[in-house]
Amino acid sequence: MAEACANCGQILQGVYCHACGQKRVDDADRRLGHLLRQAFAVLTDLDGRFWGSLRALFFQPGRLSRDYLDGRRRRWMSPFALFLLANVLYFVLPVGVTDFNLSLREQMARPLHGALVGRLVDARVEQQNRDRLARWSRLPESSRPAAPAPIGPDQVADAYEARAGDVGKTLVILHVPLLALGLWLCFHRRRRYFAEHVVVALHQFTFLLVFFQLVLLPAGWLYLFLTGSAGTGQMPPWAMAGSLLLIGLHFTLALRRAYDAPWWAAVLLPLPLLAAMMQASAWIYRPLQFLVTWAIT
């Protein structure tokens, strides 16, 4: 009796289905060794879409975006898939060099919403002290311990910062439409859909996340270790300036290729675009990060 494809139901005429391309599943394909071989092949296949997309992202700025906009999409990972993989890496690895996550004290220092943060912190400290004292007063006098010491803002900050990192990593995608809006304003004469500017922004943020985690952060650790300044946790100004220069150069080349931008525009636009995005981040992302974290703390 002819065997049907388990995926689409077509009658198999060989090892692979002529309709959907899936391989005939035999007993060897059900073993753990097959699963491990598949994983090894994906991780070591430098011609695969993931590694090819990663190489193009780093060494051919703008190519992924331009190919996607021109309809050459099959050989590359989709922009959202690549961004999500970078975000998984961002979740797994520690973050010490980005401004996407602010402590409670840093939030209190923000000029836009710092005063509100301070009032909320004071109110929570007062409420928690009141609740602690109320619970203590309900205990039987015969077994009641000494009155609990009042807590302060530091204890509230510790609870906040235990959640803030994960919230910041989740909300980092909010920067993408902000950058896309800036790209749309700069290149609106190109008659591109807004979603196409989102594609360019996704690729740029994917590069930033991977660059931070796989290049800048390890290089910072190595520098601090070799110079014996690990206790300070501070990178020298020249290293930060060099990193910003690399990011700006990558952005310039990406704009040049993705939009056919003239050199003057590709060179001059990255700085105001990134500055405007960070200003929008200060108005939208940072207050939202605080509010979400505060609500679940």
Side-chain angles (χ1 to χ4, degrees):
M1 182 178 177
E3 183 180 352
C5 173
N7 184 58
C8 67
Q10 291 289 329
I11 301 301
L12 291 173
Q13 300 178 6
V15 177
Y16 292 91
C17 176
H18 67 280
C20 69
Q22 177 170 291
K23 181 181 177 295
R24 181 200 304 267
V25 179
D26 54 31
D27 289 341
D29 296 328
R30 305 178 190 276
R31 301 174 188 267
L32 179 61
H34 172 73
L35 186 63
L36 295 177
R37 285 194 298 273
Q38 275 189 324
F40 181 78
V42 169
L43 293 175
T44 57
D45 180 13
L46 296 182
D47 292 326
R49 289 200 299 167
F50 170 68
W51 293 110
S53 299
L54 201 60
R55 287 202 311 273
L57 187 69
F58 266 80
F59 302 114
Q60 296 176 293
R63 184 179 178 187
L64 295 180
S65 300
R66 186 54 187 260
D67 280 0
Y68 189 92
L69 299 185
D70 289 347
R72 298 184 294 272
R73 304 177 181 183
R74 183 172 179 81
R75 66 177 302 180
W76 310 119
M77 290 189 67
S78 73
F80 269 109
L82 196 59
F83 176 82
L84 289 176
L85 283 176
N87 221 24
V88 168
L89 180 69
Y90 185 48
F91 262 98
V92 172
L93 295 181
V95 179
V97 294
T98 74
D99 196 30
F100 297 146
N101 178 31
L102 297 180
S103 68
L104 186 59
R105 292 193 179 279
E106 289 171 322
Q107 293 279 16
M108 291 174 68
R110 304 306 305 172
L112 181 66
H113 60 283
L116 172 63
V117 175
R119 290 195 297 271
L120 290 175
V121 170
D122 291 341
R124 179 162 293 186
V125 169
E126 182 180 348
Q127 181 64 46
Q128 290 188 357
N129 282 324
R130 189 162 51 244
D131 292 344
R132 283 157 56 91
L133 191 60
R135 289 193 298 269
W136 173 81
S137 64
R138 287 195 294 267
L139 295 173
E141 290 189 14
S142 58
S143 59
R144 185 184 298 170
I151 66 170
D154 287 343
Q155 286 81 5
V156 173
D158 290 341
Y160 173 90
E161 284 151 24
R163 300 288 187 104
D166 288 341
V167 172
K169 292 174 180 180
T170 302
L171 296 180
V172 70
I173 195 172
L174 292 179
H175 291 81
V176 172
L178 295 178
L179 180 56
L181 179 60
L183 292 170
W184 176 77
L185 291 173
C186 291
F187 297 105
H188 65 279
R189 293 184 178 180
R190 295 292 193 275
R191 306 286 184 182
R192 294 284 188 183
Y193 290 100
F194 182 73
E196 295 178 310
H197 299 294
V198 171
V199 168
V200 179
L202 278 169
H203 284 143
Q204 286 308 116
F205 256 93
T206 301
F207 167 76
L208 283 176
L209 292 177
V210 177
F211 178 77
F212 283 146
Q213 299 298 328
L214 296 188
V215 178
L216 193 55
L217 192 59
W221 287 340
L222 181 62
Y223 172 82
L224 296 174
F225 174 76
L226 293 177
T227 59
S229 53
T232 66
Q234 297 293 324
M235 288 288 288
W238 60 263
M240 296 306 299
S243 301
L244 292 175
L245 183 62
L246 285 175
I247 293 171
L249 176 62
H250 186 279
F251 199 8
T252 291
L253 296 175
L255 294 181
R256 172 78 174 159
R257 177 174 275 151
Y259 291 105
D260 284 328
W263 275 111
W264 67 267
V267 170
L268 295 179
L269 284 177
L271 184 58
L273 269 176
L274 291 174
M277 185 199 68
M278 294 313 297
Q279 189 62 47
S281 171
W283 293 340
I284 300 173
Y285 169 78
R286 292 173 185 175
L288 185 59
Q289 182 202 9
F290 166 75
L291 292 173
V292 173
T293 307
W294 190 254
I296 64 176
T297 301

